[in-house]
Structures are given as structure tokens and as C-alpha cells.
Amino acid sequence: MNLENISQAKVFGGWHKQYTHTSTALDCDMRFAIFLPPNATKETPVPVVYWLSGLTCTDENFMQKAGAFRKAAELGIAIVAPDTSPRGDKVPDDPNGAYDFGLGAGFYLNATQAPWSGHYQMYSYIVDELPNLIEAHFPVTQQRAISGHSMGGHGALTIGLKHPDSFCSISAFSPIVNPMNCPWGKKAFHHYLGDDRTTWAQYDSVELLKTQSSIPPILIDQGDSDSFLTEQLQPEKLMAAAEQTGHVIELRMQTGYDHSYFFIQSFIEEHLDFHATHLFPNTDDE
């Protein structure tokens, strides 16, 4: 495995590190970041929260803006933040340079349409290749949780719902819950997956929820002053599907908060605490 450490910095007693590697799934070089808490050693490996970022983001947005390291160090949880899409000169992009498709907008799916299918296999990268790499090279366990923001919230929900044996809990900030029926999702799914909408449902949280007999614990925070709330995010559709199917999802509407990382900073520690209760199920709190 061609794994190269390109930066590192000590923080709250642990380490934030960036790496590049050649991805088989994406057929390009990829970058990811990992935070390792102080207690992470070969003798005492730690569980991992995988964080999926939103449109236009890279591995750096969450790691630099979310303020998650103090709580992760305290809890003894590693955080892995991949990039949001394949990158490189040979990777196709939106011909008009749009922010909501192409580079930075992989939507955590496996594209089936040319020219995107050769590289845009983010679903396989997040589900298989990246966790296998992390568990082979770092002092972590196979205990995983998944979280994300906006497009990354969509990725966290869909991947977590489809792989409850791999991810013990799911959380999201401002997720795109019904991409089949919002402008961002329709554009991406049309190009990546083609015109057959029956193939879109496998990457739509509302549709997936209807097919699951059981689901992992899910926590969602959504700001009520988010400018994308009505047109793109539509959390009420997910809650309606949950009510219809009898699944329990905790949605917290947060007064006055928008779509920014100021919102994520405000509640990220609560999300890490939420995941800790499932990553450490046998911990005695007394």
C-alpha cells in the first residue's frame, strides 16, 4: 500500500495527520486525515468515527473548523475524514465548473455512467477500501460509527443504513435526506446513475428507510435558519418515513442555526458523546 504521511501536528495530546495513497476503487491518488487520541496504541486500539464532508469540501474542512479534537481525545475515539470525491488531472469534472457536481461532489455513490464511472466510486471507497486501509495501518479497532454534514450527511445516512453491521451508530448535520427529489440530488444522480430513477433509490435515505427491518441509532441536528432547509434538505420527509415504518430517529431542530461550521462546532461534542455510547457499549458509567 502506497501510504504517505504528508503532514502532522500534535493536538490535545493526540495527533492530527494527513496521508495520501493510491486508491484502487477511485483509480487516482486520494488524501485523508486522521485524528488519533493520546491513548491510541498498538496495545490499546481505539474505535473510529468516519466523518463525511459536504459539497466543495476536502478532508481539511472538518478537521480545521469543527473543534472536535478535545472531546475525541477525552473519549478515546479516532476520527477519519476522507476527501469528498476523486481528484486529479484525469478525473472528469463538471464542464462548467459548478460547485454541486464533479470534483468535490462525489455524493458517496458508485457512478454507473460514462465518463464518471471510471473514478466516481466513493461508496466502495468509504464502505470497503478506506476502513480496510485504516484498520491495517493505524491502532484502531473494527468498531466504527459514521457521521457527516449536508452531502456528507446524505452519505452517512445511506451508508450507515445499508451497513448496520459495519457502523454501530449514525449522526448527521443538515443532511440531504431525499436526494431523488431535490435539485442537488437530481443533478448528481442523473449524471452519475442515468435516467432510471429505480437505481437512485439505493442512495436515498427516505427510500432506504422504507426497506430496513431495523436501523442503527440515528441523531440528526438541523438548523432552522439554514438557507438550504426547504429546497434541498427537507428533514420532514425522513421523519415521515420513520413514522410510517416505525423506526426511531432523533431529529433536533436548532433555533437560529444555519448551514455553516459554526453550527457544527456548537453540537459536535454532543454527537461524539452519542457515538461513544454505542462504540463503548460495555462501559460502566458509575
Side-chain angles (χ1 to χ4, degrees):
M1 176 64 66
N2 180 22
L3 187 63
E4 180 183 358
N5 178 213
I6 58 172
S7 74
Q8 63 181 28
K10 194 168 185 178
V11 53
F12 288 107
W15 288 93
H16 169 266
K17 300 184 178 186
Q18 283 182 307
Y19 289 86
T20 60
H21 73 105
T22 300
S23 167
T24 300
L26 304 176
D27 190 25
C28 66
D29 290 339
M30 287 293 285
R31 189 178 73 191
F32 68 87
I34 184 169
F35 171 74
L36 292 168
N39 64 318
T41 67
K42 184 177 181 180
E43 292 72 27
T44 59
V46 298
V48 182
V49 171
Y50 286 84
W51 173 269
L52 307 184
S53 291
L55 292 167
T56 76
C57 292
T58 68
D59 66 288
E60 294 183 333
N61 296 73
F62 176 82
M63 293 303 209
Q64 294 182 7
K65 296 180 179 181
F69 296 149
R70 186 195 66 81
K71 175 59 76 170
E74 173 189 311
L75 294 171
I77 293 174
I79 301 173
V80 172
D83 203 345
T84 51
S85 75
R87 305 275 181 176
D89 293 339
K90 64 180 181 179
V91 177
D93 191 11
D94 185 287
N96 298 315
Y99 78 94
D100 58 355
F101 182 72
L103 299 185
F107 269 85
Y108 305 103
L109 51 72
N110 282 345
T112 59
Q113 304 299 301
W116 320 106
S117 57
H119 296 282
Y120 285 80
Q121 304 291 311
M122 286 297 294
Y123 177 85
S124 291
Y125 180 70
I126 299 300
V127 171
D128 295 315
E129 185 175 12
L130 184 60
N132 289 339
L133 184 152
I134 297 299
E135 288 163 14
H137 292 275
F138 299 96
V140 302
T141 69
Q142 293 183 331
Q143 281 289 102
R144 311 169 189 161
I146 193 164
S147 186
H149 173 231
S150 195
M151 178 186 72
H154 142 76
L157 287 167
T158 55
I159 288 171
L161 286 170
K162 293 172 73 171
H163 297 276
D165 293 337
S166 296
F167 300 96
C168 66
S169 53
I170 305 167
S171 77
F173 291 84
S174 315
I176 304 169
V177 302
N178 190 206
M180 291 179 65
N181 294 301
C182 78
W184 281 339
K186 287 179 181 178
K187 178 179 179 177
F189 284 13
H190 166 72
H191 288 295
Y192 291 139
L193 301 173
D195 292 328
D196 182 1
R197 286 176 59 90
T198 63
T199 67
W200 296 11
Q202 63 184 308
Y203 301 112
D204 187 289
S205 301
V206 169
E207 295 304 313
L208 285 172
L209 200 61
K210 299 174 184 177
T211 68
Q212 305 300 307
S213 58
S214 62
I215 64 172
I218 299 175
L219 170 65
I220 297 173
D221 271 319
Q222 173 64 62
D224 69 0
S225 293
D226 190 322
S227 60
F228 302 114
L229 177 58
T230 301
E231 184 178 30
Q232 304 284 8
L233 307 179
Q234 306 171 343
E236 69 279 359
K237 292 184 177 180
L238 187 69
M239 299 311 291
E243 182 176 0
Q244 176 185 340
T245 56
H247 294 309
V248 176
I249 294 175
E250 183 177 5
L251 169 65
R252 307 190 306 187
M253 294 300 297
Q254 303 290 2
T255 303
Y257 286 92
D258 60 16
H259 199 71
S260 72
Y261 265 85
F262 295 114
F263 173 43
I264 295 171
Q265 283 181 38
S266 301
F267 299 100
I268 189 61
E269 293 194 357
E270 294 178 24
H271 281 238
L272 290 174
D273 278 330
F274 163 77
H275 289 299
T277 64
H278 304 288
L279 290 167
F280 303 107
N282 298 318
T283 298
D284 186 353
D285 292 329
E286 297 181 358

